[in-house]
Amino acid sequence: MPAQICRAAENKELNRLQECTKNVPRFEVFYDGSFGSQLLFAVRCKTLSVNRRTWRWNEGNTMLCLQCNRGVEETVEHLVLECSKYEQERE
């Protein structure tokens, strides 16, 4: 019985501590409404208009990257990490 009382007291203390340390919602400064923050948001959500997503509606009707002409699919990952057109920007 005393062990159960101790565990209950520990749980109550733990619950009180967790309530005190909960994160309060706060304003995030990286999304300030600028074009750069909108672009960052689209890249993070993988909703950037790249050929891999929009090839059905593009005139060229292709998923391939038209920036570097290497014959690979134009994805967010390709544009940000691999595309030779943007090598200088990545440095």
Side-chain angles (χ1 to χ4, degrees):
M1 187 71 149
Q4 291 175 341
I5 294 172
C6 288
R7 278 195 298 264
E10 287 173 0
N11 287 340
K12 189 174 184 179
E13 182 67 21
L14 182 62
N15 288 340
R16 190 181 68 73
L17 286 173
Q18 286 175 346
E19 285 183 23
C20 292
T21 59
K22 283 184 181 176
N23 289 334
V24 177
R26 58 185 158 78
F27 178 74
E28 297 290 340
V29 294
F30 6 96
Y31 299 120
D32 58 2
S34 67
F35 177 72
S37 67
Q38 290 174 3
L39 188 61
L40 177 63
F41 185 78
V43 168
R44 286 184 173 176
C45 295
K46 294 187 179 184
T47 59
L48 192 65
S49 294
V50 293
N51 283 345
R52 176 73 177 117
R53 288 188 66 238
T54 61
W55 67 274
R56 295 184 256 341
W57 304 284
N58 288 346
E59 290 181 21
N61 205 20
T62 181
M63 286 190 245
L64 302 180
C65 180
L66 303 175
Q67 304 299 321
C68 65
N69 296 320
R70 290 181 13 200
V72 294
E73 285 185 358
E74 185 181 73
T75 61
V76 171
E77 290 83 6
H78 170 73
L79 284 178
V80 173
L81 302 173
E82 303 166 354
C83 189
S84 59
K85 171 149 181 151
Y86 303 106
E87 282 181 7
Q88 287 184 335
E89 287 82 354
R90 282 191 291 270
E91 291 178 359

